[in-house]
Amino acid sequence: MPELPASSPAIEVSGLSKRVVDASGELAILQHIDFTVQAAGTLAIVGASGSGKSTLLGLLAGLDTPSAGTVRLGGTDIFALDEDGRARLRKQQLGFVFQSFQLLFHLNALENVMLPLELRQDPDARAKAEAMLSRVGLASRLRHYPKYLSGGEQQRVALARAFVCEPPLLFADEPTGSLDAVTGEAVIRLLFELNREHGSTLVLVTHDPAIAALCERTITIAAGRLVS
């Protein structure tokens, strides 16, 4: 597993801003965001709908580019890299769990989890994917396609895919937003269990204070600004 340098925080955010221009003029989505997350830490990002939480997470992952400011992952300024460089960094260091699962519907559960390993040309992709699916309780569903899985099962496949490469950083964007309360609680329990087992740094976007309380630290975004 790629390791983040022990001498620097896992994540350093400085002066991060995002502005867009539309027909009504310039809109500030994020303004001067600063924070750090230590390696193996857990951080919840909370705020009302439209506050900029998901935009911030996308910037942390290098999926979007800022108008100003820097994001350093393990000491690397990700916006000093070109698009290909950021893609390589994501492949090596990031796992991502989406609210909408983002599974490939033409691949079965096993193939979805094998995919990031195959992109790394891992010769043990199948065995590792099978073991991870077993760990999330889906050993009997390996060859089921997403359309034949429940929402909770699809999210567990997504968790298995995110953790199978043992990334040092894990980002989760409203991972229970598409699930009922009981299923969501089970998925969150599993997410934190896996995170403890793998010792990764977790950044979680949520609107649920009960989920945020499970993290070591919480920051609140309001109208694009960090307010706590």
Side-chain angles (χ1 to χ4, degrees), residues 12-45:
E12 300 170 89
V13 178
S14 178
L16 196 65
S17 298
K18 179 68 177 181
R19 297 182 296 273
V20 297
V21 177
D22 61 17
S24 62
E26 186 176 80
L27 175 65
I29 299 175
L30 290 172
Q31 302 182 68
H32 310 296
I33 304 295
D34 298 275
F35 64 88
T36 61
V37 186
Q38 297 301 316
T42 55
L43 172 72
I45 301 172

Side-chain angles (χ1 to χ4, degrees), residues 181-192:
V182 173
T183 304
E185 182 178 347
V187 165
I188 285 295
R189 189 183 313 118
L190 180 59
L191 170 63
F192 277 88

Side-chain angles (χ1 to χ4, degrees), residues 11-13 15-19 29-31 33 35 45 52-73 77-79 86 89-90 94 96 171:
I11 303 169
E12 300 170 89
V13 178
L16 196 65
S17 298
K18 179 68 177 181
R19 297 182 296 273
I29 299 175
L30 290 172
Q31 302 182 68
I33 304 295
F35 64 88
I45 301 172
K53 304 186 304 296
S54 293
T55 297
L56 176 56
L57 198 65
L59 289 168
L60 297 184
L63 297 170
D64 194 4
T65 56
S67 303
T70 59
V71 173
R72 294 182 182 274
L73 300 182
D77 181 351
I78 66 173
F79 298 115
R86 290 195 296 275
L89 182 143
R90 282 193 295 272
L94 283 179
F96 213 116
F171 295 160

Side-chain angles (χ1 to χ4, degrees), residues 98-117:
F98 299 89
Q99 175 179 340
S100 56
F101 318 137
Q102 296 291 320
L103 300 179
L104 297 178
F105 278 75
H106 65 284
L107 301 180
N108 63 32
L110 178 61
E111 292 165 341
N112 266 284
V113 178
M114 286 176 61
L115 185 58
L117 294 165

